[in-house]
Amino acid sequence: MAREDYSPMPGCLSNNKVAVVFQYGSVVLFNFHDLSPDTNPILAAVKRHSREFVGDPRKDNYRVVVIPGLDRWSQGGSDKIMVKKLDMDGVRIISLVLGQSIALDHYTRSIDEMLNTFGELNRHMELTGTFKMQRKALFKLVAAANAALADAILRLGLLERSDAAWQSARYDRIWEHMRGDFELDDRFESLEFKIGIIQHNVKFFLDILQNRKSDTLEWIIIFLIAGEICVGVYDILNGAGAI
């Protein structure tokens, strides 16, 4: 994900409707009650201009409470953040963490589906001693897993701190609280661990396919040697007049 251009902007946005759209597919809405992609004009426009649309999009609600008389700039709570004032930089920080959380959930679900596929392969292997997946399909699975990890790091920017958080301790506290509230670091580590399991499974099944190929080549060599012996015996017998 490209880094943000940090430019502090004045003004309170607590009563305004604000939409933040990320290139990786997350949409964060402030003060919207209609969240249907068919009737909400923002979501309808995003859907119309998207290359692909998730059939069952993930949704999450998070409360941003504006309290002008708050003793500090922000204060965290359970499933909410209280702020003294909601300005554009606050919107950037809050929407960034929310967008990352939803996108990470999408990638995690995709990885879980891959793990289920390998779970079925392992159970079938346990019962029958063999499996039917082709090498090409295995490569596709590991490529999809690697792409999910790369997207989480590069496109979502999960390992990067927001520019607004770098520039101001106020927004850094919001950023730290929300990342902790959504457990982004723990969820990313879990995603990495699951991808490691997938890579291990792919290596295991590729080794089996390689052994199958080696066994096939060995049998081909055996048949060729046997055929050569038969031809040699035939030539010997034919030269001796036995045939």
Side-chain angles (χ1 to χ4, degrees):
M1 183 186 71
R3 293 177 62 84
E4 306 166 50
D5 294 328
Y6 177 75
S7 54
M9 296 182 65
C12 184
L13 303 173
S14 59
N15 297 320
N16 297 333
K17 290 185 177 181
V18 179
V20 182
V21 182
F22 294 93
Q23 290 184 348
Y24 48 77
S26 292
V27 180
V28 181
L29 303 175
F30 292 81
N31 296 322
F32 281 85
H33 300 290
D34 180 10
L35 301 179
S36 171
D38 297 319
T39 56
N40 182 291
I42 301 296
L43 295 179
V46 172
K47 182 178 179 180
R48 189 165 57 250
H49 293 92
S50 297
R51 286 180 296 180
E52 57 180 322
F53 190 78
V54 178
D56 182 22
R58 298 291 297 173
K59 299 178 182 179
D60 203 353
N61 293 318
Y62 193 77
R63 293 180 62 199
V64 181
V65 184
V66 180
I67 306 177
L70 198 65
D71 293 337
R72 60 189 71 178
W73 182 258
S74 66
Q75 182 177 332
S78 178
D79 293 329
K80 67 180 179 181
I81 184 75
M82 294 171 284
V83 296
K84 195 169 186 175
K85 178 182 177 182
L86 182 62
D87 56 11
M88 186 57 71
D89 288 318
V91 168
R92 286 174 175 172
I93 294 290
I94 294 169
S95 59
L96 175 63
V97 176
L98 290 173
Q100 288 175 335
S101 178
I102 288 295
L104 185 58
D105 195 23
H106 169 71
Y107 289 127
T108 300
R109 283 196 299 170
S110 299
I111 295 299
D112 286 342
E113 291 176 2
M114 297 179 201
L115 285 175
N116 290 334
T117 299
F118 281 110
E120 294 175 1
L121 283 175
N122 283 308
R123 283 190 292 271
H124 184 76
M125 186 82 175
E126 181 181 5
L127 294 174
T128 65
T130 185
F131 74 102
K132 299 180 180 180
M133 182 171 285
Q134 299 297 318
R135 181 188 299 265
K136 184 177 181 180
L138 285 173
F139 284 149
K140 284 184 177 180
L141 280 176
V142 73
N146 290 337
L149 180 60
D151 283 349
I153 295 174
L154 300 177
R155 297 185 67 189
L156 304 189
L158 279 175
L159 302 182
E160 298 180 7
R161 184 179 295 269
S162 168
D163 285 347
W166 275 114
Q167 298 287 340
S168 172
R170 289 177 173 180
Y171 303 111
D172 183 66
R173 282 192 292 270
I174 297 175
W175 188 79
E176 289 284 358
H177 168 74
M178 290 190 62
R179 281 183 67 90
D181 205 14
F182 285 96
E183 301 178 336
L184 290 188
D185 291 334
D186 292 339
R187 289 163 61 192
F188 179 70
E189 289 180 5
S190 176
L191 183 70
E192 279 189 304
F193 178 75
K194 291 177 180 179
I195 290 175
I197 294 176
I198 290 175
Q199 292 171 338
H200 176 76
N201 275 272
V202 168
K203 183 178 182 301
F204 170 71
F205 287 113
L206 283 177
D207 287 342
I208 294 176
L209 288 176
Q210 185 62 38
N211 290 335
R212 282 183 183 175
K213 185 176 181 180
S214 298
D215 292 341
T216 302
L217 290 175
E218 288 177 1
W219 279 108
I220 291 174
I221 292 173
I222 290 172
F223 283 129
L224 289 175
I225 294 174
E228 187 175 352
I229 292 173
C230 290
V231 171
V233 170
Y234 174 82
D235 289 340
I236 292 172
L237 294 176
N238 185 46
I243 298 180

